């Protein structure tokens, strides 16, 4: 299998706090890799290092066999990386279609607007947002905004999709819908790295799972292996609420 | 070089620096608390000058009593401005608060020009001057500088040790958190705007005891306040005092080497450079 | 939603209506009124590129106007250049300044950007005040003989009017193109959320710099025209901060980020000014009344007239762009 993304000993500090500590992993083409860990474990910080929002203090990141450490986010987008934000960031005063067109027009393919509009409509259809296409993005509800985030990322037709808690804040029905959607995205040949707190979903979806705790990678394996890993359970016990959820959902 | 001229020029600049600094503290305080750049700052400074002028000519008050009256008026006027123009644009895009405060600027200048006309005024007032080595300094300047410094010290103690001072610092730090622990943040914002305006009018009052002025005079000091605030770190009141001293020294130093008209070039180039290289100022301000 | 052809024709018609009026009547007074309106329209429409489309509140628009004015004036009055070439250089000088400082200052956001643009304007004003080739504090005056080459002062007034009219039309075309182009979509995404835009692949730094440069080119041209027909230029006339602010008000009044908004805002604002200045009751406090009106707009319709219509009546979005 081809390695699409590889990190080598990535370190990110904020003042005295080490948010990401010596993290190394590989992501293979076509897989769904889950990234879990208690709150404050450094998951989103790791995402921000991967897609260029932060420059890691140490370590290297390779994407498509290119050393991309410290590259700006737009350059990574042009290489076929897309992401969603944990806290949705719709372009509020633009229409839903225009939002998605930005993703298509400025992604790897650098499409002209006419083509971007076509792709946008396809993606909106795929995600069930087509009836909202001419609405202002700011007027959507939370679940719709989550799907809009995903739509923008998908419209770029990325090779790698980083999903930051796309299930958070959704009700159970919406979660099921979104899980199904993520499966179908993978079927389109898009590789996925996802942060998620909804354990049932991530255990179901992921081929492999990485566990971060206090910025360090403490476990890596299939969902079954992770569910039985002593250290993982201990890590979550530090966060009783999550540990409970972990236990219940399993 | 003539050392006497240099000394005199530096002392003169330093003394004025305190007075400019106190106006800038007003501006930077307001920004720190509510992230509003008050574009009505200049006209308010001018109103301070006119308060002293009319207190002297109409009420026969001593100019320094007029400065006190001006400060009190400033507190009330600031709260009024906040209630009318600023309150509704808190938390809105910066364009809204910039234009809202500029609209206040237009109203004050508009009415001020109609009522006071644009002709220059002067307060007939002198305390003589004293000679310090090679420098001859008007006493009024020393009084103004000392008054400004005392006001800054008073503000410091107010902010550190009084209930409302602590409220202001809490709201500056984190408005939501302050609200959560029961601090009436809207009142604190109104009071802070009043306090900022008070300092502006106080400073204007002091300036009126030194120079002639018109209703448009405040614009000059507003721009100076911008430079000083940025120098000291926007939102950092004590930084602004040091910024004022620096600007005062520049104003004292530059004319020794270059024509006086270069002072503004130096100041504004410095202003732009600071914003580019270190937007939080020399002493750290509110993060951009 | 299919965009109606009126979204393009309406703004064009607005400018044509203002611009052609004095050509029909051939009256000097009408020409001067139209000149004032078109100047306002050009300043507002060009500011809209950086303010409305990109979301950066520039208080420095007038620095480009003043610099363009000075450069062109100098080239015509001192170096004897033909006016059109000098005007072009005025625009180029303004655009160049924007390009050079853009990379630095466009990293600042919000109030910090607003402040630095004020600083740039004041620094430039103070520098020109000391810059002897441009006449220092007294500025430059035009030798009357220069006008002779263009057929005398009256012919100059008409010629400069044609130039301004042409620039206003060009600006409508340019802003319409921006609003409907990929470049414009990139700018709008920066306005809405700069970080998210960059993550989606928009080269934000480059886009902002070009928007700023384009936005600066036109006031450079307008300044060149204004001061050439004014026959004199000095620092306080060339860089008045309140012209920057008036430009912002005009953009805001009509609707930032729309094509037609700044045109409507520019005309509306100037019309209001004339009304206030000629009203015997309000004449003396016209500035205060204008301030009160501005406050009402900021507080109650911050999206401007066109923005408000587009929001309140979504159907208007087809033809109001």
């Amino acid at each position: 299998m081809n390695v699409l993304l590889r990190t080598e000993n990535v370190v990110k500090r904020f003042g005295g706090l080490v948010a990401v500590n010596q993290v190394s992993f590989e992501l293979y083409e076509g897989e769904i890799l889950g990234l879990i860990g208690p709150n404050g474990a450094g998951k989103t910080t790791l995402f921000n290092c991967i897609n260029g929002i932060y420059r890691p203090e140490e370590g290297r990141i390779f994407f498509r066999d290119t050393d991309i450490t410290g590259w700006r986010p737009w350059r990574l987008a042009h290489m076929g990386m897309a992401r969603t934000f944990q806290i949705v960031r719709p372009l509020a005063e633009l229409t839903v279609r225009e939002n998605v067109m930005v993703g298509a027009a400025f992604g790897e393919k650098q499409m002209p607007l006419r083509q971007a509009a076509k792709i946008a409509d396809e993606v909106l259809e795929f995600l069930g947002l087509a009836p909202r296409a001419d609405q202002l993005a700011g007027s959507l509800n939370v679940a719709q905004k989550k799907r809009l985030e995903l739509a923008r990322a998908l419209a770029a037709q990325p090779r790698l999709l980083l999903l930051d808690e796309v299930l958070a804040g959704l009700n159970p029905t919406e979660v099921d819908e979104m899980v199904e959607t993520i499966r179908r995205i993978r079927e389109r040949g898009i590789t996925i790295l996802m942060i998620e707190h909804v354990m049932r979903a991530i255990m179901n979806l992921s081929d492999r799972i990485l566990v971060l705790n206090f910025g360090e990678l403490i476990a890596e394996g299939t969902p079954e292996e992770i569910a039985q890993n002593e250290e993982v359970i201990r890590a979550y016990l530090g966060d009783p609420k999550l540990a409970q959820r972990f236990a219940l959902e399993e | 070089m003539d050392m006497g001229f240099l000394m005199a020029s530096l002392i003169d600049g330093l003394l004025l620096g305190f007075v400019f600094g106190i106006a800038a503290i007003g501006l930077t305080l307001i920004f720190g608390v509510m992230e509003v750049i008050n574009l009505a700052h200049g006209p308010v400074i001018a109103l301070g000058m006119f308060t002293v002028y009319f207190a002297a000519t109409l009420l026969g008050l001593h100019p320094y009593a007029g400065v006190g009256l001006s400060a009190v008026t400033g507190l009330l006027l600031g709260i009024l401005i906040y209630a009318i123009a600023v309150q509704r644009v808190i938390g809105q895009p910066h364009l809204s608060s910039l234009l809202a405060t500029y609209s206040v600027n237009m109203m004050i200048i508009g009415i001020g020009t109609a009522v006071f006309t644009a002709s220059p005024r002067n307060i007939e007032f002198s305390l003589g001057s004293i000679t310090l080595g090679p420098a001859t300094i008007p006493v009024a300047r020393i009084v103004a500088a000392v008054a400004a410094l005392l006001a800054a010290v008073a503000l410091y103690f107010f902010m550190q040790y009084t209930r409302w001072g602590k409220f202001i610092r809490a709201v500056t730090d984190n408005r939501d958190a302050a609200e959560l622990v029961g601090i009436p943040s809207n009142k604190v914002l109104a009071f802070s705007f009043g306090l900022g305006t008070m300092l502006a009018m106080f400073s204007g009052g002091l300036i009126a005891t030194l120079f002639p002025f018109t209703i448009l005079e405040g614009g000059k000091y507003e721009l100076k306040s911008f430079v000083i605030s940025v120098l000291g770190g926007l939102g950092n009141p004590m930084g602004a005092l040091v910024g004022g001293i620096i600007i005062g020294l520049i104003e004292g130093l530059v004319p020794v080497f270059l024509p006086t008209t270069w002072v503004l070039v130096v100041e504004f180039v410095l202003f732009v450079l600071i914003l580019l290289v270190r937007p939080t100022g020399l002493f750290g301000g509110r993060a951009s | 939603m299919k965009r109606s052809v009126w979204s393009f024709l309406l703004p064009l018609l607005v400018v044509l209506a203002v611009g052609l009026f004095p050509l029909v009547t051939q009256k000097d007074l009408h020409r001067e009124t139209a000149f004032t309106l078109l100047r306002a329209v050009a300043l507002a429409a060009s500011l809209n590129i950086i303010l409305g489309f990109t979301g950066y509140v520039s208080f420095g628009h007038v620095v480009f106007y003043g610099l363009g004015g000075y450069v062109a004036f100098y080239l015509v009055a001192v170096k004897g250049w033909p006016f059109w070439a000098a005007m072009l250089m005025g625009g180029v000088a303004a655009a160049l300044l924007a390009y050079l400082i853009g990379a630095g200052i466009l990293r600042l956001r919000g109030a910090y950007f607003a402040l630095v643009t004020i600083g740039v304007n004041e620094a430039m004003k103070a520098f020109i005040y000391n810059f002897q080739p441009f006449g220092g504090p007294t500025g430059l005056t035009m030798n009357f003989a220069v006008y002779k080459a263009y057929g005398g002062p009256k012919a100059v007034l008409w010629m400069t009017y044609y130039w301004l009219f042409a620039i206003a039309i060009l600006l409508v075309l340019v802003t319409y193109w921006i609003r409907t182009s990929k470049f414009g979509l990139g700018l709008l995404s920066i306005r809405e959320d700069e970080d998210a835009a960059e993550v989606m692949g928009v080269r934000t730094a480059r886009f902002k710099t070009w928007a700023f440069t384009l936005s600066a080119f036109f006031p450079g041209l307008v300044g060149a025209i204004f001061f050439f027909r004014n026959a004199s230029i000095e620092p306080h006339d060339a860089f008045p901060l309140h012209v920057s602010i008036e430009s912002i008000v005009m953009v805001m009044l009509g609707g930032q980020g729309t094509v037609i908004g700044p045109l409507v805002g520019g005309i509306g604002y100037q019309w209001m000014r004339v009304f206030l200045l000629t009203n015997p009751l309000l004449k003396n406090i016209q500035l205060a009344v204008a301030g009160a009106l501005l406050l009402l707009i900021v507080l109650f319709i911050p999206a401007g007239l066109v923005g408000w219509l587009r929001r309140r009546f979504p159907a208007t979005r087809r033809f109001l762009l």
Side-chain angles (χ1 to χ4, degrees):
Chain A
M1 265 195 294
N2 286 326
V3 174
L4 183 64
L5 177 80
R6 186 170 93 240
T7 72
E8 279 178 8
N9 304 317
V10 168
V11 176
K12 176 71 202 170
R13 298 187 195 92
F14 296 105
L17 175 84
V18 186
V20 172
N21 196 3
Q22 301 278 344
V23 170
S24 305
F25 72 90
E26 289 180 338
L27 170 61
Y28 301 102
E29 250 169 46
E31 78 171 332
I32 296 184
L33 182 61
L35 180 57
I36 64 171
N39 282 327
K43 303 182 296 291
T44 297
T45 307
L46 182 59
F47 261 34
N48 286 343
C49 290
I50 292 172
N51 93 315
I53 292 176
Y54 298 148
R55 171 191 280 272
E57 268 85 31
E58 289 172 33
R60 313 233 59 94
I61 302 170
F62 297 85
F63 178 54
R64 295 174 62 192
D65 298 321
T66 310
D67 185 343
I68 56 152
T69 319
W71 284 23
R72 302 288 309 170
W74 62 263
R75 263 183 102 180
L76 297 170
H78 292 188
M79 277 191 77
M81 194 189 288
R83 81 171 281 180
T84 65
F85 289 97
Q86 183 183 353
I87 297 158
V88 290
R89 304 179 81 155
L91 310 174
E93 295 285 314
L94 300 187
T95 64
V96 168
R97 181 185 289 111
E98 283 171 328
N99 264 266
V100 182
M101 281 167 71
V102 175
F106 294 97
E108 190 184 359
K109 303 242 164 66
Q110 292 290 313
M111 290 173 201
L113 277 193
R114 199 177 293 271
Q115 201 185 340
K118 224 177 109 216
I119 297 290
D121 282 337
E122 280 173 30
V123 172
L124 289 172
E125 190 69 47
F126 174 69
L127 290 173
L129 281 172
R132 312 259 167 220
D134 290 315
Q135 233 170 287
L136 291 185
S139 68
L140 298 180
N141 66 31
V142 175
Q144 290 163 343
K145 280 179 182 160
K146 288 259 173 189
R147 268 185 285 162
L148 176 60
E149 282 276 320
L150 195 55
R152 285 196 316 208
L154 273 185
Q157 307 188 327
R159 292 162 196 265
L160 170 61
L161 182 56
L162 307 174
L163 300 178
D164 196 347
E165 295 205 36
V166 281
L167 303 178
L170 301 185
N171 67 34
T173 326
E174 290 164 346
V175 167
D176 288 344
E177 280 172 22
M178 193 60 107
V179 166
E180 195 42 45
T181 306
I182 294 170
R183 271 219 183 85
R184 283 167 60 202
I185 292 170
R186 191 251 289 269
E187 280 161 17
R188 292 178 158 202
I190 296 172
T191 310
I192 295 173
L193 174 59
M194 61 188 296
I195 296 175
E196 201 45 70
H197 275 310
V198 181
M199 286 303 157
R200 180 171 51 94
I202 197 139
M203 289 290 170
N204 252 315
L205 275 169
S206 308
D207 299 308
R208 287 186 306 134
I209 289 179
L210 303 173
V211 187
L212 272 185
N213 191 28
F214 293 114
E216 286 180 42
L217 204 55
I218 57 166
E220 177 178 352
T222 62
E224 296 75 31
E225 288 164 1
I226 294 298
Q228 274 140 42
N229 185 308
E230 288 286 318
E231 203 177 348
V232 174
I233 294 169
R234 216 176 305 126
Y236 272 94
L237 280 175
D239 188 345
K241 237 165 75 187
L242 270 176
Q244 195 182 22
R245 215 153 97 198
F246 195 73
L248 280 178
E249 283 173 355
E250 273 310 293
Chain B
M1 191 196 316
D2 181 354
M3 280 312 284
F5 178 51
L6 176 67
M7 278 304 294
S9 186
L10 270 182
I11 292 174
D12 212 36
L14 183 68
L15 293 177
L16 287 180
F18 285 107
V19 181
F20 300 156
I22 202 76
I25 290 178
L27 185 82
T28 210
L29 178 80
I30 290 173
F31 183 84
V33 178
M34 59 199 95
E35 282 198 58
V36 168
I37 303 265
N38 180 15
L39 291 181
H41 199 61
V44 165
I45 292 175
L47 284 184
M49 300 171 176
F50 276 87
T51 307
V52 176
Y53 178 79
F54 285 113
T57 52
L58 298 183
L59 307 176
L61 280 181
H62 188 275
Y64 291 126
V67 172
L69 178 67
S70 166
V72 177
T73 314
L75 182 63
L76 301 176
L77 178 68
I79 292 172
L80 183 70
I81 293 175
Y82 178 83
I84 293 174
V86 181
Q87 189 172 11
R88 297 184 58 128
V89 295
I90 296 289
Q92 302 254 324
H94 284 287
L95 182 57
S96 297
S97 57
L98 287 165
L99 289 183
T101 53
Y102 191 73
S103 73
V104 174
N105 176 318
M106 290 166 79
M107 287 186 257
I108 296 177
I109 295 292
I111 295 170
T113 316
V115 177
F116 307 140
T117 74
S119 53
R121 317 276 172 146
N122 192 13
I123 292 168
E124 296 298 332
F125 171 67
S126 172
L127 296 173
S129 48
I130 58 169
T131 306
L132 267 179
T136 305
I137 306 150
V139 174
R141 279 193 197 193
I142 300 175
V143 175
V146 170
L149 187 61
L150 286 179
V153 171
L155 179 73
Y156 176 81
F157 282 101
F158 175 78
M159 297 286 268
Q160 290 299 320
Y161 300 110
T162 67
R163 188 176 157 82
W164 278 83
K166 286 176 186 167
F167 282 0
I168 291 179
R169 285 192 294 135
V171 173
T172 304
D173 210 40
N174 186 333
R175 188 180 171 190
D176 291 332
E179 187 84 34
L180 272 179
V181 298
I183 294 174
S185 70
N186 194 41
K187 277 184 194 159
V188 173
L189 294 190
F191 178 67
S192 310
F193 205 93
L195 206 55
T197 308
M198 178 177 176
L199 292 168
M201 281 189 66
F202 176 71
S203 162
L206 292 177
I207 295 170
T209 64
L210 309 175
F211 306 113
F213 53 90
T214 71
I215 184 71
L216 300 174
E217 195 70 11
K220 194 165 94 185
Y221 298 101
E222 176 174 314
L223 288 170
K224 257 188 226 310
S225 292
F226 288 160
V227 178
I228 293 168
S229 305
V230 164
L231 214 54
L234 259 180
N236 176 350
M238 290 307 136
L241 187 65
V242 184
I245 295 170
I246 295 175
I247 286 300
L249 291 177
I250 288 177
E251 301 208 343
L253 205 57
V254 171
V256 180
F257 303 98
L258 289 168
T260 318
T261 48
W262 281 91
V263 168
L264 286 179
V265 183
V266 173
E267 282 180 4
F268 284 110
V269 168
L270 185 69
F271 173 71
V272 171
L273 287 180
I274 294 266
L275 276 171
L276 288 183
V277 179
R278 216 182 135 85
T280 52
L282 299 178
F283 313 103
R286 219 187 152 100
S288 132
Chain C
M1 193 173 346
K2 197 89 181 81
R3 199 176 281 135
S4 152
V5 65
W6 287 104
S7 64
F8 173 67
L9 287 180
L10 272 179
L12 196 62
L13 285 177
V14 168
V15 169
L16 285 176
V18 173
L20 289 175
F21 184 62
L23 298 188
V24 175
T25 64
Q26 286 291 318
K27 286 210 171 95
D28 288 353
L29 178 68
H30 292 163
R31 182 197 60 223
E32 290 312 298
T33 308
F35 185 91
T36 307
L37 292 178
L38 290 176
R39 173 171 162 267
V41 158
L43 287 178
S46 55
L47 177 64
N48 187 39
I49 297 172
I50 189 73
L51 173 72
F53 291 139
T54 322
Y56 276 72
V57 183
S58 170
F59 278 68
H61 210 49
V62 76
V63 78
F64 304 118
Y65 174 81
L67 181 67
Y70 257 109
V71 168
F73 203 103
Y74 174 78
L75 291 175
V76 172
V78 180
K79 296 285 172 189
W81 283 37
F83 173 69
W84 67 268
M87 177 183 73
L88 198 63
M89 283 311 291
V92 169
L96 198 64
L97 174 67
Y99 185 80
L100 292 178
I101 62 174
I105 69 175
L106 286 161
R107 283 183 294 125
L108 298 166
R109 296 190 187 176
Y112 288 84
F113 179 76
L115 276 179
V116 83
T117 54
I118 293 177
V120 167
N121 186 50
E122 294 302 319
M124 179 64 84
K125 186 203 285 182
F127 173 73
I128 299 278
Y129 200 85
N130 288 287
F131 189 59
Q132 285 315 318
F134 284 177
T138 48
L140 301 166
T141 45
M142 192 73 70
N143 189 328
F144 221 58
V146 174
Y147 285 166
K148 283 234 176 77
Y150 299 93
K154 192 171 161 93
V156 165
L157 290 177
W158 278 106
M159 178 194 74
T160 46
Y161 178 76
Y162 293 135
W163 275 117
L164 182 63
F165 187 22
I167 288 166
I169 292 172
L170 181 62
L171 259 167
V172 171
L173 302 182
V174 167
T175 44
Y176 183 82
W177 169 76
I178 291 178
R179 181 60 184 83
T180 55
S181 70
K182 187 170 157 178
F183 176 60
L185 185 63
L187 296 186
L188 292 172
S189 68
I190 290 171
R191 178 188 77 190
E192 293 298 315
D193 186 333
E194 191 164 340
D195 299 323
E198 186 171 359
V199 165
M200 283 189 271
V202 180
R203 299 187 67 166
T204 49
R206 178 179 284 196
F207 272 57
K208 285 186 293 183
T209 305
W210 282 114
F212 195 44
T213 305
L214 199 56
S215 156
F217 176 66
F218 294 98
L221 299 177
V222 176
I225 292 172
F226 181 86
F227 290 104
F228 177 64
R229 74 185 342 236
N230 192 46
S232 74
I233 185 167
E234 53 114 339
H236 289 285
D237 286 344
F239 304 101
L241 187 59
H242 72 88
V243 169
S244 281
I245 297 175
E246 278 182 337
S247 304
I248 296 176
V249 172
M250 294 187 286
V251 173
M252 182 102 183
L253 191 64
Q256 36 174 321
T258 65
V259 177
I260 195 171
L263 315 177
V264 175
I267 293 167
Y269 179 80
Q270 294 300 336
W271 177 82
M272 181 194 79
R273 258 180 61 102
V274 170
F275 169 77
L276 290 177
L277 279 170
T278 51
N279 183 310
L281 260 178
L282 300 174
K283 195 172 75 179
N284 284 328
I285 51 162
Q286 57 98 7
L287 195 62
V289 178
L293 282 174
L294 171 61
L295 183 61
L296 291 176
I297 290 161
V298 172
L299 294 184
F300 299 107
I301 39 167
L305 183 64
V306 174
W308 180 80
L309 281 173
R310 279 170 60 89
R311 205 165 300 180
R312 184 76 184 69
F313 307 102
T316 60
R317 282 190 220 146
R318 283 190 64 232
F319 57 89
L320 275 183
L321 190 65

